Amino acid sequence: MTTSEDRSMLLPIEPLDRVLGDRTARSFAKNLGLGTVSDLLMHFPRRYSTRGELTPISEIPLGEPATVVADIVEVRERRMKGRSGSILEVRITDGHGFMTLSFFNQSWRQKELRTGARGLFAGKVSSYQGKLQLAHPDYELFPEEISDEDAKRWADLPIPIYPAASSVTTWAIQRSMAVVLDTIGPIQDELPVEVVELNRLLSLDEAIRNIHRPEKHADWQAARETLKFHEAFALQATLLLRRAENQHIKATPRVAGAGKLLEQFDDSLPFKLTNGQISVGQEIAADLGKSHPMNRLLQGEVGSGKTLVALRAMLTVADSGGQSALLAPTEVLAAQHYRSIEKTLGHDLAKELGLTLLTGQMNTADRKRAMLQLVSGKARVVVGTHALIAEKVEFLDLGLIVIDEQHRFGVEQREALRLKGKQPPHVLTMTATPIPRTLAVTVFGDLDISTLTELPAGRQGISSHVVQLSQPALVARTWQRIAEEVAKGRQAFVVCPRIDEDDPGEELIESGGAAEDELTFLDGTDAQAADFAKKPKQLLASALGMTESLRKVPSLNGLSIETLHGRMTSEEKADVMARFAAREIDVLVSTTVIEVGVDVPNATVMVILDADRFGVSQLHQLRGRVGRGGNPGLCLLLTSAEDGSLALERVNAVAKTLDGFELSEIDLELRREGDVLGQSQSGGRSSLKLLRVLHDAKLIQDVRGQVEAILSADPTLEKHPNLAEALARQDQDRQAYLAKG
Ligand code: ADP
Ligand code: MG
């Protein structure tokens, strides 16, 4: 590496409009979220179509994607029969056979699809009235004066297929990419030259150019490996730097003892702490006693007693006179935590601590009162939702933030809360979606990690079974099982993916996420997306509809069946939960609002409808609501997924094991990585693109070692200005993203 580095030669971050013009830039920003030249260059092809294996039209298999080189021989437009709209039909030939392209209501394409033009046409081939047809194919026309030889060369080039949007096609992206690549000078590597050499990487410049404009397949393959390495490197450098920075931030040490609150609490516990709870408790106590903030992740199965560990940490802080905030992802969960903490603490201790609840749906008077408790320092333990982050909420001396459920709080929210302390508070994050330790270190590399592996003694376990809707006898048996449990004095949950017919069911499976919905990927082979699309949303079970239906099921006659969902007010929700806890309700039909933490030990059976619509970890979380008391739990996963489908496979996987680690691996495989990392690491747009946390675990581990070596020799990256600059830019990107949203 030379000392005269030109920083302008790192990935250019100038706005796209300077290179592509206003209109294109606006459209790219709106439809693809790409704002800068760097954004565009980092928008990688999803796959490459194989031109070398172009199929002659006469041999094209029906129903499969194919690309042909052909000439347009005829173009005509006709009105649709029986309804409004037009069809543009374009007949093409490759000299061996004929095929018709059809476009609905896209008359304007006549301007470019003219008789005599030659190009590449890609799509899925079907047969219509005995004729081969490509509906809405992708195409790219050759320049008019192309020679046969050039056409051959063209045909051998791998075609990058980009994640596109309906209004920005993959070809449009490809064209703009070419403009950008031709405009910019060589891109400077941010990696130290030794790293590039040691790992036999391409230069960044070559990698970027080759991933977008490969001349052969080996080009983009090598480019991907290099860019993947860059991603792993940036991720680990960010995490390790963050971790190092944390050591320099001052925090108030919090040591138990003075107030004797923890001691008092431990003495009053009706059970013995598990060994895990003891040792994790010690780790946390040691962290809290240090003069820089704790940043710890506590992983543990549902029911492993994490909340209790957190509560003991809060008591430690209270002992030293500080305040703690427990942040829950939903209103129901916050209220539930509040009640169960109150119960666990006992009336006197709860009062002494000024235990307070603060949620967004509380009425103004209650909220004001709660906020006063916080700012005066009277409340030493507060439980709440996002409302705790609201600007107006102030603490007297916030010492500890406990975040329940890692996945749901982004870094921006954690940052906002951190700023509430006079000095940054200690942070404990809890997750019931544990991942293997080796993996956790690489993914949550800025956090220290504690894991609770054992469940408290006396747990009876949960058995899970899949019930396919195609077996009506089993479905009837499902309702009967509920009746049997209720007859024994137990209670049941019935979980539905939607509230009512109007509810789009936004709580659905994370992997089907909105981003994928919006983007029309041209290869359409994503098995999961296909699975996901199978069942129209209007057919999904809804909590309100199900409540009505269950009330009519003969075997459930006379049972008290009520509904709980996210559109109810917090009073309504609290009321239903309280009545369920008091056994006034036998069957609670709900949405995933009960997903985490809801603790009614008397509930022994859970039926999950359209189980295939939920994520693996989500199902695991849900079923953790039963089998919490002294009685075994039963979870019945109802699904209309068909034999052999990926959806059924996923549900079967959940039924087969209770091991959260195993399930989270399955989940990791199925989910997009951005979700895995949470917003905390991915920070929206700068989320991982090529790196797959599970698949590339070895690479990530290896890279981490290399980054550690560099940072130990050069902790502030003084000698690696390019790397420092690139990381700073990513950080800015993340900040900008956070500021927006
Ligand atoms: P998690 O948050 O990990 O899902 P909780 O902390 O909510 O688990 O604990 C689940 C239940 O187990 C609670 O009712 C809690 O009081 C109880 N519990 C926690 N620790 C123990 C223990 N050591 N022995 C017996 N019961 C325990
Ligand atoms: Mg919990």
Side-chain angles (χ1 to χ4, degrees):
M1 178 169 307
T2 62
T3 43
S4 58
E5 286 160 333
D6 178 3
R7 286 182 181 181
S8 66
M9 284 155 68
L10 284 165
L11 270 176
I13 46 175
E14 66 201 85
L16 273 177
D17 56 5
R18 298 225 194 115
V19 190
L20 297 178
D22 271 354
R23 256 187 71 187
T24 310
R26 254 205 313 277
S27 154
F28 276 28
K30 179 163 164 260
N31 296 300
L32 301 168
L34 307 174
T36 65
V37 168
S38 164
D39 289 346
L40 181 64
L41 292 173
M42 299 304 269
H43 189 69
F44 301 136
R46 188 173 160 79
R47 67 183 179 92
Y48 298 81
S49 137
T50 322
R51 276 167 174 159
E53 295 155 17
L54 292 178
T55 331
I57 290 179
S58 53
E59 290 169 22
I60 284 179
L62 287 183
E64 279 176 34
T67 306
V68 296
V69 171
D71 297 314
I72 297 177
V73 289
E74 191 190 343
V75 180
R76 72 190 187 106
E77 191 180 12
R78 60 180 176 82
R79 316 244 24 111
M80 298 262 288
K81 285 187 201 102
R83 51 190 177 116
S84 64
S86 69
I87 301 183
L88 182 66
E89 288 180 329
V90 178
R91 203 158 150 74
I92 58 173
T93 181
D94 64 350
H96 302 283
F98 289 88
M99 188 153 60
T100 306
L101 321 176
S102 53
F103 299 89
F104 299 98
N105 285 335
Q106 299 194 348
S107 181
W108 57 270
R109 287 192 192 275
Q110 289 181 76
K111 268 190 259 152
E112 50 188 38
L113 293 171
R114 280 197 297 248
T115 306
R118 168 182 265 205
L120 284 154
F121 304 90
K124 215 181 259 179
V125 182
S126 60
S127 166
Y128 182 70
Q129 295 181 343
K131 282 189 237 158
L132 292 178
Q133 166 162 317
L134 277 180
H136 287 247
D138 290 303
Y139 59 85
E140 188 177 25
L141 300 175
F142 295 146
E144 274 166 35
E145 63 284 3
I146 197 165
S147 67
D148 276 6
E149 203 173 294
D150 281 348
K152 168 84 177 75
R153 201 179 55 78
W154 255 100
D156 285 341
L157 288 175
I159 317 170
I161 305 290
Y162 289 95
S166 42
S167 47
V168 185
T169 65
T170 178
W171 312 113
I173 297 169
Q174 196 187 350
R175 274 192 296 269
S176 296
M177 202 68 79
V179 171
V180 167
L181 289 173
D182 289 340
T183 315
I184 57 169
I187 301 163
Q188 172 85 57
D189 244 277
E190 87 279 12
L191 291 180
V193 68
E194 316 84 68
V195 173
V196 174
E197 278 169 9
L198 176 72
N199 299 281
R200 298 176 192 201
L201 304 175
L202 301 178
S203 70
L204 181 60
D205 186 68
E206 201 177 351
I208 296 264
R209 288 175 196 277
N210 283 0
I211 201 163
H212 294 298
R213 277 203 292 209
E215 285 182 9
K216 49 193 187 306
H217 289 287
D219 290 348
W220 62 258
Q221 284 156 354
R224 277 180 81 101
E225 290 311 307
T226 288
L227 292 166
K228 211 190 247 187
F229 189 97
H230 277 254
E231 245 176 55
F233 199 93
L235 175 66
Q236 290 311 319
T238 302
L239 293 175
L240 287 167
L241 280 171
R242 217 186 267 173
R243 193 192 180 95
E245 266 164 33
N246 200 47
Q247 305 298 312
H248 298 294
I249 298 177
K250 281 244 164 303
T252 313
R254 311 281 176 173
V255 184
K260 301 234 185 282
L261 292 162
L262 180 61
E263 203 181 300
Q264 210 178 313
F265 175 73
D266 281 350
D267 289 345
S268 75
L269 269 183
F271 46 71
K272 273 179 46 194
L273 296 178
T274 63
N275 291 331
Q277 284 173 321
I278 293 172
S279 62
V280 169
Q282 284 162 351
E283 287 173 340
I284 292 174
D287 282 0
L288 290 174
K290 288 185 189 148
S291 55
H292 58 84
M294 167 169 79
N295 203 6
R296 187 171 285 277
L297 176 69
L298 172 57
Q299 327 192 79
E301 282 297 331
V302 177
S304 59
K306 296 183 295 293
T307 312
L308 194 88
V309 169
L311 187 54
R312 293 186 70 243
M314 295 195 274
L315 285 163
T316 305
V317 172
D319 253 353
S320 76
Q323 296 170 290
S324 300
L326 170 65
L327 212 53
T330 65
E331 294 261 332
V332 170
L333 190 54
Q336 172 85 33
H337 265 311
Y338 174 78
R339 271 196 305 276
S340 81
I341 287 176
E342 188 177 35
K343 206 169 116 202
T344 314
L345 287 172
H347 181 73
D348 294 348
L349 203 47
K351 199 157 171 207
E352 193 174 343
L353 286 166
L355 180 66
T356 299
L357 177 70
L358 181 61
T359 70
Q361 283 186 21
M362 277 163 61
N363 66 43
T364 322
D366 286 347
R367 258 180 59 166
K368 280 223 173 95
R369 201 169 313 129
M371 281 163 60
L372 205 62
Q373 296 280 81
L374 298 194
V375 70
S376 67
K378 284 213 185 84
R380 277 187 279 174
V381 175
V382 55
V383 180
T385 54
H386 292 72
L388 276 179
I389 306 170
E391 272 169 45
K392 278 181 273 170
V393 181
E394 273 180 63
F395 292 82
L396 182 70
D397 180 19
L398 181 60
L400 169 67
I401 299 170
V402 178
I403 299 170
D404 197 14
E405 282 314 305
Q406 162 82 15
H407 286 323
R408 291 158 187 256
F409 279 103
V411 73
E412 71 271 39
Q413 288 157 329
R414 282 201 262 163
E415 282 306 314
L417 251 188
R418 274 177 84 121
L419 298 175
K420 298 270 171 209
K422 303 243 151 59
Q423 275 192 329
H426 300 280
V427 178
L428 178 67
T429 306
M430 306 194 283
T431 175
T433 320
I435 60 176
R437 198 185 173 85
T438 46
L439 205 61
V441 168
T442 56
V443 179
F444 303 114
D446 58 333
L447 308 178
D448 293 305
I449 295 162
S450 297
T451 307
L452 288 176
T453 47
E454 58 190 321
L455 293 182
R459 286 290 157 75
Q460 297 294 314
I462 306 164
S463 51
S464 309
H465 304 279
V466 176
V467 175
Q468 285 179 268
L469 293 186
S470 49
Q471 304 166 300
L474 286 182
V475 177
R477 177 80 190 116
T478 299
W479 309 130
Q480 226 173 341
R481 283 295 286 124
I482 290 187
E484 287 166 19
E485 288 297 308
V486 173
K488 285 189 246 169
R490 318 269 153 72
Q491 291 159 283
F493 290 108
V494 175
V495 184
C496 305
R498 297 192 303 160
I499 298 173
D500 57 20
E501 311 301 307
D502 299 329
D503 180 11
E506 56 190 332
E507 291 161 309
L508 291 189
I509 189 167
E510 54 272 38
S511 40
E516 299 240 344
D517 265 359
E518 286 159 20
L519 302 176
T520 25
F521 290 118
L522 296 167
D523 57 353
T525 54
D526 196 70
Q528 196 172 6
D531 259 358
F532 190 73
K534 236 174 224 161
K535 192 168 182 179
K537 285 184 176 166
Q538 61 271 22
L539 294 181
L540 294 177
S542 74
L544 289 168
M546 209 56 209
T547 305
E548 287 315 307
S549 311
L550 289 181
R551 283 176 179 155
K552 290 183 202 127
V553 171
S555 56
L556 302 179
N557 206 346
L559 304 195
S560 152
I561 303 176
E562 298 288 340
T563 323
L564 180 74
H565 60 75
R567 281 212 307 259
M568 290 160 61
T569 67
S570 30
E571 283 88 35
E572 288 167 343
K573 280 186 275 191
D575 175 59
V576 169
M577 279 313 295
R579 285 194 292 134
F580 190 60
R583 302 196 194 182
E584 284 164 30
I585 296 170
D586 300 311
V587 181
L588 187 62
V589 185
S590 80
T591 55
T592 52
V593 290
I594 57 142
E595 182 179 343
V596 266
V598 170
D599 195 13
V600 178
N602 192 51
T604 50
V605 53
M606 172 176 289
V607 175
I608 303 177
L609 290 144
D610 290 309
D612 51 293
R613 288 315 185 96
F614 299 96
V616 168
S617 293
Q618 212 177 1
L619 289 172
H620 184 53
Q621 290 266 355
L622 281 167
R623 90 178 142 184
R625 304 305 106 218
V626 295
R628 294 170 80 82
N631 300 302
L634 173 68
C635 175
L636 299 168
L637 303 159
L638 266 61
T639 173
S640 56
E642 284 156 26
D643 288 328
S645 67
L646 190 67
L648 186 62
E649 201 180 298
R650 214 168 44 217
V651 179
N652 277 333
V654 175
K656 235 183 287 168
T657 179
L658 281 175
D659 184 339
F661 285 91
E662 199 180 320
L663 288 172
S664 63
E665 282 202 25
I666 295 171
D667 210 22
L668 274 172
E669 263 164 31
L670 295 171
R671 284 211 251 177
R672 287 176 304 152
E673 306 295 317
D675 299 325
V676 172
L677 295 177
Q679 288 185 325
S680 53
Q681 265 79 26
S682 64
R685 274 194 292 127
S686 41
S687 64
L688 298 183
K689 298 197 157 95
L690 301 173
L691 205 60
R692 291 292 167 262
V693 173
L694 259 195
H695 183 256
D696 299 317
K698 215 180 143 299
L699 171 71
I700 297 176
Q701 200 101 47
D702 184 33
V703 167
R704 188 175 175 88
Q706 297 188 35
V707 176
E708 271 166 353
I710 290 173
L711 287 179
S712 79
D714 182 17
T716 54
L717 293 181
E718 220 171 343
K719 298 191 198 80
H720 299 90
N722 269 354
L723 179 57
E725 170 77 15
L727 293 174
R729 281 181 183 182
Q730 273 191 15
D731 222 44
Q732 269 168 23
D733 234 34
R734 215 173 279 135
Q735 298 298 333
Y737 172 80
L738 295 179
K740 257 195 294 178

